[in-house]
Amino acid sequence: GQSLEQPSEVTAVEGAIVQINCTYQTSGFYGLSWYQQHDGGAPTFLSYNGLDGLEETGRFSSFLSRSDSYGYLLLQELQMKDSASYFCAVDNYGQNFVFGPGTRLSVLP
Amino acid sequence: KAGVTQTPRYLIKTRGQQVTLSCSPISGHRSVSWYQQTPGQGLQFLFEYFSETQRNKGNFPGRFSGRQFSNSRSEMNVSTLELGDSALYLCASSPISGSAGELFFGEGSRLTVL
């Protein structure tokens, strides 16, 4: 089976950089995705790592290391609108996505 | 391009009733999957349909069922509702199964069971 772990909460100030970690125990997967969900909203896709290494998309970057069973989402130049829940998810060989429990990010002024 | 549309957005049912939720995927998307989101369990996979066939199923009781129509629209049904079925039910579509890690989610149907 697949299981993922994330910190439940992270707090940072506007303009700062924050890293949200995701560790996993899986039997294998295609890649690691990250989603953002604002309260009352739909999860929206942020980033995907099919291969080990760093992927950069604007202020957001994501990293994957399969050898360490570890990934992270890096958010730079934090803005108030980044306050949301962030989920990592593994693509279980196209069968389904297994999501982590989510990390609630609070950005303070 | 219109996004994923789910109806109804909110509904209240009582124990023992049944409910049907609807999902219209993004035009051209053939894969539709359903997830249950609760504060305690996070997002849990229910099932996935592709070209009217259920290809994968999560670990939920048989009271949870679904189907997909020829136009890729999907419905899920929950029979004999229990209090624990109160949750946000999210539908997600993608062009094909597991498309580069990206799912397109609807805003969900929030079910409250009294």
Side-chain angles (χ1 to χ4, degrees):
Chain A
Q2 323 273 39
S3 68
L4 297 90
E5 294 186 3
Q6 301 178 237
S8 58
E9 294 183 10
V10 172
T11 302
V13 296
E14 246 184 324
I17 299 173
V18 71
Q19 179 173 313
I20 299 174
N21 297 325
C22 174
T23 57
Y24 57 83
Q25 292 183 341
T26 80
S27 54
F29 59 94
Y30 281 153
L32 183 72
S33 300
W34 288 90
Y35 288 81
Q36 177 193 62
Q37 186 179 29
H38 288 98
D39 287 346
T44 55
F45 173 80
L46 291 176
S47 186
Y48 175 73
N49 292 79
L51 302 173
D52 282 10
L54 190 68
E55 291 287 337
E56 297 179 270
T57 310
R59 294 188 297 115
F60 296 169
S61 303
S62 59
F63 174 83
L64 174 63
S65 170
R66 291 177 189 261
S67 59
D68 295 320
S69 298
Y70 165 72
Y72 66 73
L73 178 70
L74 190 74
L75 297 85
Q76 303 181 72
E77 302 173 13
L78 280 174
Q79 302 175 10
M80 297 295 290
K81 67 179 182 179
D82 297 330
S83 293
S85 292
Y86 293 83
F87 297 87
C88 59
V90 293
D91 180 351
N92 187 22
Y93 292 122
Q95 296 181 37
N96 63 293
F97 282 77
V98 178
F99 284 81
T103 298
R104 189 168 188 87
L105 171 64
S106 298
V107 180
L108 305 177
Chain B
K1 203 178 216 183
V4 178
T5 304
Q6 291 189 245
T7 57
R9 289 291 314 279
Y10 303 91
L11 64 167
I12 300 174
K13 294 286 187 179
T14 56
R15 280 180 299 175
Q17 287 187 310
Q18 74 164 12
V19 65
T20 299
L21 309 177
S22 179
C23 172
S24 294
I26 292 172
S27 177
H29 286 194
R30 297 169 64 188
S31 172
V32 174
S33 52
W34 289 87
Y35 289 81
Q36 180 195 66
Q37 186 175 28
T38 59
Q41 298 295 318
L43 283 104
Q44 300 286 313
F45 172 72
L46 283 156
F47 25 67
E48 188 241 351
Y49 289 86
F50 186 86
S51 293
E52 301 179 66
T53 301
Q54 184 184 91
R55 297 206 299 184
N56 299 292
K57 190 176 191 305
N59 189 28
F60 278 81
R63 300 185 297 107
F64 292 81
S65 63
R67 59 178 175 169
Q68 186 181 33
F69 302 95
S70 58
N71 61 358
S72 293
R73 191 177 70 84
S74 177
E75 289 181 347
M76 68 163 282
N77 185 78
V78 188
S79 62
T80 320
L81 284 166
E82 301 177 359
L83 295 179
D85 297 332
S86 294
L88 180 67
Y89 290 88
L90 292 162
C91 168
S93 73
S94 62
I96 58 174
S97 184
S99 179
E102 184 171 6
L103 294 174
F104 297 81
F105 282 91
E107 295 201 339
S109 293
R110 185 166 295 281
L111 170 65
T112 301
V113 182
L114 302 177

